[in-house]
Amino acid sequence: MIKTTENVPSLSHRVKERFKTSFFVSDPLIVRSPGRVNLIGEHTDYNNGFVLPAAINKAIYMAVSHRSDDEIHLVSLDLDRQYTGSVNGIEPTTLHWPDYILGVVQQIQKLGHSVGGFNCVFGGDIPLGAGMSSSAALECATAFAMNQLFGLGLDPMTMVKLSQKAENVFVGVQCGIMDQFASMFGRKNHVIRLDCQSLDYAYVPFDTAGIRIVLLDTNVKHSLASSEYNTRRRQCEAGVRLIQAHHPGVKSLRDASLEMLAAYVAPVDKLVNQRCEYVVEEISRLLAATKDLENGDMHAFGQKMFATHEGLSRKYEVSCEELDFLVEKVKDDPAVIGARMMGGGFGGCTINLVKEDATKP
Ligand code: GLA
């Protein structure tokens, strides 16, 4: 969906070549796991709402082969770093980058599967920390590769869930399911409308004729990102608990209304109320935006993207100066149909729907 300046075949070739020089194996299993964009529905996944992501043509490429011992040998092509460990007693590392792989191996083991020693080289063209889910792509690549290599018989949804769990318990980010789901289930020229409560999903054709998705990277990643992410999640849960005292049937913000927030949350905690308001509004905004997409009303869809940004910036407070600047800059440009910050926030990219003519050099 997005033109890449990278020569993708050469990337998988480079991974393969590095594998040959590091492990003297010329026919490793090669796996490709894409990053994602999300058109609308931000911070709704862990609130059991809806999201509208799509896999993109930037990806992680991973090469793996069996070892005859219990060792794990990892090579990061992009960082030019190596790690050696064992499949027994897996623990988080101080290096951090191996954790996305090790966490997945540990989750597979926790499901009762046995994983033997393996060699692994990976590299990719998903910009790191840009909110395009390079970590989820790496986790899903690992799950997929392990499944193939050791014949585990895991279905795609199980691989999605265990990859998400690896990020939650091993990496320590309480992320929702969107990124891993989009990486595993993405389909060309389609966005996925995922109900994060039932996990029902539908592929919605995204007719890009005349419109391009353009990402603008702030090139910043503020250190607050993961701690504030976890705080937002706790604030949403606190809001749900306040409502539950009066409506025990409300299990998440998906079941909540603005009236419930005004009655039970606002009088107790203004900040929690502000966070929850954004989420409840975003869940219904996405449903309306999906209708716009079905009706081909891209103008209405784009206006909702701007409204999402406003909510993320003012009410949910996960934007930053650089993201606000990029959205503000394009707001009155007639070529820009819609724009907003994308992903967890505190840096990374804005996603813009731009009239194709205006994207030509
Ligand atoms: C990150 C998380 C996702 C989701 C988004 C915000 O990308 O990994 O689960 O919560 O932030 O929508």
Side-chain angles (χ1 to χ4, degrees):
M1 249 188 225
I2 292 172
K3 269 196 187 141
T4 171
T5 48
E6 271 271 355
N7 181 355
V8 170
S10 96
L11 196 47
S12 66
H13 182 73
R14 277 172 54 214
V15 167
K16 210 170 163 181
E17 284 304 304
R18 181 62 186 264
F19 203 90
K20 213 188 285 175
T21 50
S22 298
F23 302 117
F24 311 106
V25 175
S26 54
D27 58 346
L29 170 72
I30 307 268
V31 163
R32 176 184 172 276
S33 180
R36 63 108 188 86
V37 292
N38 184 29
L39 288 187
I40 200 161
E42 216 65 271
H43 288 273
T44 45
D45 58 354
Y46 54 85
N47 287 301
N48 284 352
F50 299 88
V51 288
L52 206 58
I56 57 172
N57 61 351
K58 289 186 181 296
I60 295 282
Y61 293 79
M62 179 180 274
V64 288
S65 72
H66 290 278
R67 289 181 63 86
S68 53
D69 53 23
D70 283 348
E71 290 183 0
I72 299 176
H73 287 240
L74 307 178
V75 176
S76 163
L77 190 65
D78 303 326
L79 300 176
D80 196 19
R81 291 272 186 281
Q82 301 183 21
Y83 164 87
T84 303
S86 163
V87 291
N88 305 310
I90 289 175
E91 295 280 354
T93 65
T94 49
L95 296 172
H96 200 55
W97 64 264
D99 293 353
Y100 299 96
I101 297 172
L102 298 178
V104 169
V105 174
Q106 188 190 58
Q107 285 306 317
I108 291 174
Q109 292 171 330
K110 286 197 169 158
L111 287 179
H113 297 284
S114 138
V115 173
F118 64 94
N119 300 315
C120 166
V121 175
F122 70 95
D125 59 355
I126 309 172
L128 297 180
M132 294 161 74
S133 298
S134 52
S135 15
L138 182 52
E139 289 152 359
C140 290
T142 307
F144 203 88
M146 296 295 107
N147 193 37
Q148 296 288 313
L149 198 65
F150 298 108
L152 305 176
L154 301 171
D155 61 85
M157 193 59 97
T158 302
M159 290 190 270
V160 165
K161 287 182 181 167
L162 71 86
S163 297
Q164 181 200 4
K165 197 140 187 226
E167 177 107 18
N168 292 164
V169 303
F170 207 81
V171 179
V173 179
Q174 301 303 313
C175 68
I177 201 166
M178 167 170 73
D179 303 350
Q180 290 80 6
F181 183 88
S183 186
M184 192 69 76
F185 282 84
R187 186 187 281 179
K188 198 170 182 183
N189 292 334
H190 288 78
V191 295
I192 317 170
R193 181 181 171 279
L194 171 67
D195 178 340
C196 300
Q197 180 159 270
S198 63
L199 297 182
D200 287 343
Y201 60 95
Y203 291 99
V204 183
F206 186 69
D207 183 4
T208 50
I211 295 175
R212 308 292 301 175
I213 295 175
V214 177
L215 303 187
L216 299 179
D217 193 351
T218 59
N219 280 310
V220 296
K221 179 82 185 165
H222 294 290
S223 55
L224 288 171
S226 52
S227 63
E228 285 295 311
Y229 185 95
N230 292 348
T231 303
R232 292 300 175 281
R233 194 163 175 161
R234 280 199 300 275
Q235 288 168 329
C236 293
E237 286 159 8
V240 170
R241 277 197 301 278
L242 288 170
I243 298 173
Q244 270 171 348
H246 305 269
H247 294 275
V250 171
K251 300 279 183 266
S252 67
L253 288 180
R254 166 75 174 275
D255 308 325
S257 64
L258 291 176
E259 291 71 30
M260 289 175 184
L261 293 177
Y264 311 120
V265 184
V268 181
D269 192 326
K270 289 266 172 287
L271 188 61
V272 164
N273 182 61
Q274 183 181 316
R275 305 292 191 239
C276 295
E277 251 182 35
Y278 160 74
V279 172
V280 170
E281 284 166 358
E282 179 72 352
I283 291 172
S284 59
R285 188 160 36 233
L286 182 139
L287 293 173
T290 316
K291 293 230 165 66
D292 294 338
L293 214 52
E294 281 161 11
N295 298 335
D297 189 347
M298 295 311 285
H299 175 74
F301 188 92
Q303 290 305 306
K304 292 187 179 66
M305 290 174 75
F306 284 121
T308 292
H309 184 79
E310 188 73 8
L312 287 165
S313 180
R314 302 279 168 86
K315 289 190 176 179
Y316 216 56
E317 295 183 284
V318 291
S319 186
C320 61
E321 215 181 305
E322 296 86 348
L323 287 165
D324 288 347
F325 172 83
L326 288 178
V327 173
E328 198 52 43
K329 271 283 169 206
V330 301
K331 217 169 193 165
D332 299 322
D333 190 325
V336 179
I337 298 159
R340 62 177 196 82
M341 56 150 278
M342 186 178 78
F346 300 101
C349 291
T350 61
I351 177 167
N352 304 259
L353 294 188
V354 182
K355 293 185 184 155
E356 190 162 25
D357 298 346
T359 63
K360 293 190 179 131

